[in-house]
Amino acid sequence: MSDSASIRHDFVQFWGSLGSYWGIPPATARVYAWLISQPQACNADAIVEGLEMSRGAVSMAARELRDWGLVHVERSPGSRQVVYRPETDLELAIRNIVEMRKRREWDPLLARLRGWIGELDGQRSAEAEVFRERLRSIEALVGMADAMAESFLKGGLVQKLGLKVLVASAQRRRGKKEGKR
Amino acid sequence: MSDSASIRHDFVQFWGSLGSYWGIPPATARVYAWLISQPQACNADAIVEGLEMSRGAVSMAARELRDWGLVHVERSPGSRQVVYRPETDLELAIRNIVEMRKRREWDPLLARLRGWIGELDGQRSAEAEVFRERLRSIEALVGMADAMAESFLKGGLVQKLGLKVLVASAQRRRGKKEGKR
DNA sequence: ACGAACTTTCAATAGTTTCTGAAAGTACGA
DNA sequence: TCGTACTTTCAGAAACTATTGAAAGTTCGT
């Protein structure tokens, strides 16, 4: 027990359940977890067997993962079969996810907020004024989040920021570990 | 048209649809948006009428929002009626959300990752080794995200980081606006 | 250009989440 | 303590989302 097969199973299960927090269908998240847990790229059959899901579901999940840049679909030279290779550079993967979410969520939200604020600027009622000020404070915050995301996408953030923060957390963690030994 | 009522309607609708990206039920998100759009705190009846939803749904949404720290439930002194006041300090609201998600998602994920890595440390197969290294890189990244979240929760992040980033984005935005005038 | 080997699509089904509304619960004033 | 004016709960209905599997579409070797 607790061999790598059972750990893989737990990992796949847990990762799948996490997916729902992030708006990723569980089956899709499970496929990604499975691929990460395998040393080499897998073909569709291996996934069908390993995860006990239908061929169609595997194909759907793989397509979605490809859209997110989380797996690469590869075709061996003299074969009709495709194999799925997970993106293991997680920073790259996260960059893809952040970019997609920014485009889908923040950008339209910011655009609409600014539009609404502009319209409310033309109104004199006290009601409109309160509403406008609240929208403004949302805009400021979303704008900041957006700017942070953009900065992350340009590649600087993890290095610039992450480092300082990481040092602190690594120290904290090292402290714990050494206490145990 | 395009008076504050119609803007409110659009805002409520859009905010509700955004909710789904964040795992917040649409009705819950709509109630919050509605409250933000009103100058004073509302009672349940006003929400039932304004959003055309059932009394029960309003109560459920309000309870969830209260759990997230996004609304405050207040009872006027000589009255049985409660009014719902939205938290308008968005930074505080976001802090609450981040804290809750961290506890629900990152903390258990990190704990399990570390457990699995520990178990895989005891195994010699090449397969286990690849898997373990991948889990390690996930752990490093999640650990960093976790540390950033923690730093944000301690109150420093927005000031320390946000400022630099904000300056850049404000300059960019100001540039655009002045171009228009 | 054809047929085999494989992948992708999509209509139907299964499953899950969200919403409703009536019933139960709670807090206040008298 | 009782009745009233409200809120909360929860079982079931409705709406939505995910999954299956058979049919359609692709791609490659010959």
Side-chain angles (χ1 to χ4, degrees):
Chain A
M1 43 136 227
S2 133
D3 55 351
S4 78
S6 99
I7 293 172
R8 163 164 39 249
H9 180 264
D10 289 357
F11 174 62
V12 164
Q13 224 47 36
F14 189 73
W15 197 258
S17 74
L18 266 191
S20 68
Y21 286 117
W22 290 94
I24 292 163
T28 305
R30 285 208 304 279
V31 168
Y32 184 60
W34 168 268
L35 288 173
I36 283 195
S37 78
Q38 292 292 131
Q40 358 46 221
C42 293
N43 61 26
D45 280 321
I47 300 172
V48 166
E49 278 190 39
L51 291 177
E52 306 194 348
M53 53 198 291
S54 76
R55 198 154 256 290
V58 168
S59 177
M60 299 285 245
R63 177 228 265 269
E64 189 157 5
L65 287 169
R66 192 177 39 184
D67 291 346
W68 291 80
L70 291 173
V71 307
H72 304 283
V73 176
E74 288 167 1
R75 213 178 273 277
S76 326
S79 159
R80 265 137 293 185
Q81 188 160 252
V82 308
V83 295
Y84 301 105
R85 192 167 54 76
E87 177 57 64
T88 54
D89 176 350
L90 271 250
E91 191 178 327
L92 178 61
I94 288 179
R95 203 182 295 288
N96 290 340
I97 292 175
V98 168
E99 181 165 12
M100 189 164 277
R101 291 191 72 136
K102 174 168 145 50
R103 262 211 312 279
R104 281 208 227 156
E105 297 170 53
W106 303 127
D107 293 353
L109 175 58
L110 266 182
R112 302 195 75 157
L113 280 171
R114 285 169 188 164
W116 289 322
I117 290 169
E119 289 183 29
L120 287 168
D121 269 338
Q123 298 183 222
R124 285 278 139 265
S125 72
E127 188 189 333
E129 208 149 308
V130 172
F131 189 14
R132 186 176 67 232
E133 285 318 306
R134 289 183 180 172
L135 290 188
R136 259 203 235 288
S137 80
I138 293 175
E139 192 231 329
L141 213 68
V142 174
M144 199 186 79
D146 189 73
M148 281 173 73
E150 200 159 303
S151 157
F152 169 68
L153 289 175
K154 285 203 187 106
L157 198 65
V158 170
Q159 281 78 33
K160 267 189 279 186
L161 265 188
L163 229 64
K164 251 186 299 184
V165 167
L166 254 190
V167 169
S169 91
Q171 285 172 341
R172 219 177 312 128
R173 209 170 327 133
R174 191 169 329 115
K176 261 193 238 166
K177 258 194 187 166
E178 279 169 5
K180 267 190 195 169
R181 281 177 195 168
Chain B
M1 44 144 222
S2 138
D3 55 351
S4 78
S6 101
I7 294 173
R8 165 166 38 250
H9 180 264
D10 289 357
F11 174 61
V12 164
Q13 224 48 35
F14 188 73
W15 196 259
S17 75
L18 266 192
S20 68
Y21 284 117
W22 290 93
I24 293 164
T28 304
R30 285 209 302 280
V31 167
Y32 185 60
W34 167 267
L35 288 172
I36 282 193
S37 77
Q38 291 293 131
Q40 2 42 224
C42 293
N43 61 27
D45 281 321
I47 300 172
V48 166
E49 279 190 40
L51 291 177
E52 305 195 349
M53 54 198 290
S54 74
R55 198 155 256 290
V58 168
S59 178
M60 299 284 246
R63 178 229 265 270
E64 190 158 3
L65 287 169
R66 192 178 38 185
D67 290 347
W68 291 82
L70 292 173
V71 307
H72 305 282
V73 176
E74 288 168 1
R75 212 177 273 278
S76 324
S79 159
R80 266 136 292 185
Q81 188 159 253
V82 308
V83 295
Y84 301 106
R85 191 169 54 75
E87 178 55 63
T88 54
D89 176 351
L90 270 250
E91 191 178 327
L92 178 61
I94 289 178
R95 203 182 297 287
N96 291 341
I97 292 175
V98 168
E99 180 165 13
M100 190 165 278
R101 292 192 70 137
K102 174 168 143 52
R103 262 212 310 279
R104 281 209 228 155
E105 298 170 52
W106 302 126
D107 292 354
L109 175 59
L110 266 183
R112 302 195 74 156
L113 280 171
R114 286 170 188 163
W116 289 323
I117 290 169
E119 288 182 29
L120 286 167
D121 270 339
Q123 297 183 222
R124 286 278 139 264
S125 72
E127 187 189 331
E129 209 149 307
V130 172
F131 188 14
R132 187 177 66 232
E133 285 318 306
R134 290 183 179 171
L135 290 187
R136 260 204 237 285
S137 80
I138 293 175
E139 192 231 331
L141 214 68
V142 173
M144 199 185 78
D146 188 73
M148 282 172 73
E150 201 159 303
S151 158
F152 169 68
L153 289 174
K154 285 201 187 109
L157 198 64
V158 170
Q159 280 77 34
K160 267 189 277 184
L161 265 189
L163 230 64
K164 250 186 299 185
V165 168
L166 254 189
V167 168
S169 89
Q171 284 172 342
R172 220 177 312 128
R173 209 169 329 132
R174 189 167 333 114
K176 259 192 243 169
K177 260 193 186 166
E178 278 168 5
K180 267 191 196 170
R181 282 175 195 171

